[in-house]
Amino acid sequence: MTTITYEDFSRVDIRVGTIVDAAILEGARKPAIKLSIDFGPDIGIKKSSAQLTVHYTPEALVGRQVAAVVNFPPRQIGKFMSEVLTLGFPMADNSVVLVVPDKSVPNGGKLF
């Protein structure tokens, strides 16, 4: 494992946001959900595609807070432009479980 400095870590901008809309991403090669996430007034609402269909439904995701990298360049996922990387951990079967705060925090808060 390569070690990094705190300066390296601080360049990755990980923020918390609340999912305000979620729907199945039609036409994706791997089943995915498209998310609209509110990161507060400084960042606004950003879109993300996440392979969450094993453990989550779109309806159950709306209103949940999630962590995401907000300073990666946008990435084209089929016909959908993903603007942030929603973070999760893999389970033994490689399905994804979201990284979430255990208490409600203000949207846009930066991980440190």
Side-chain angles (χ1 to χ4, degrees), residues 25 29 60 83:
L25 180 58
R29 283 184 292 151
E83 300 172 303

Side-chain angles (χ1 to χ4, degrees), residues 8-112:
D8 293 330
F9 169 73
S10 68
R11 291 192 344 239
V12 180
D13 195 355
I14 300 172
R15 303 288 180 127
V16 66
T18 300
I19 298 171
V20 295
D21 191 40
I24 296 297
L25 180 58
E26 301 295 335
R29 283 184 292 151
K30 295 181 181 178
I33 298 175
K34 58 183 178 178
L35 307 171
S36 293
I37 306 169
D38 182 357
F39 291 99
D42 291 341
I43 298 171
I45 295 175
K46 299 291 183 181
K47 298 180 292 183
S48 182
S49 168
Q51 295 174 4
L52 304 173
T53 58
V54 172
H55 299 289
Y56 306 96
T57 64
E59 300 78 23
L61 288 169
V62 174
R64 292 189 66 159
Q65 287 194 301
V66 295
V69 176
V70 298
N71 66 335
F72 281 159
R75 182 171 181 195
Q76 191 75 40
I77 310 291
K79 295 180 180 179
F80 183 78
M81 183 62 74
S82 187
E83 300 172 303
V84 299
L85 175 65
T86 303
L87 299 175
F89 289 109
M91 295 193 65
D93 63 359
N94 283 327
S95 61
V96 179
V97 175
L98 288 168
V99 173
V100 299
D102 69 348
K103 300 207 181 334
S104 181
V105 294
N107 287 337
K110 184 173 179 170
L111 179 72
F112 58 88

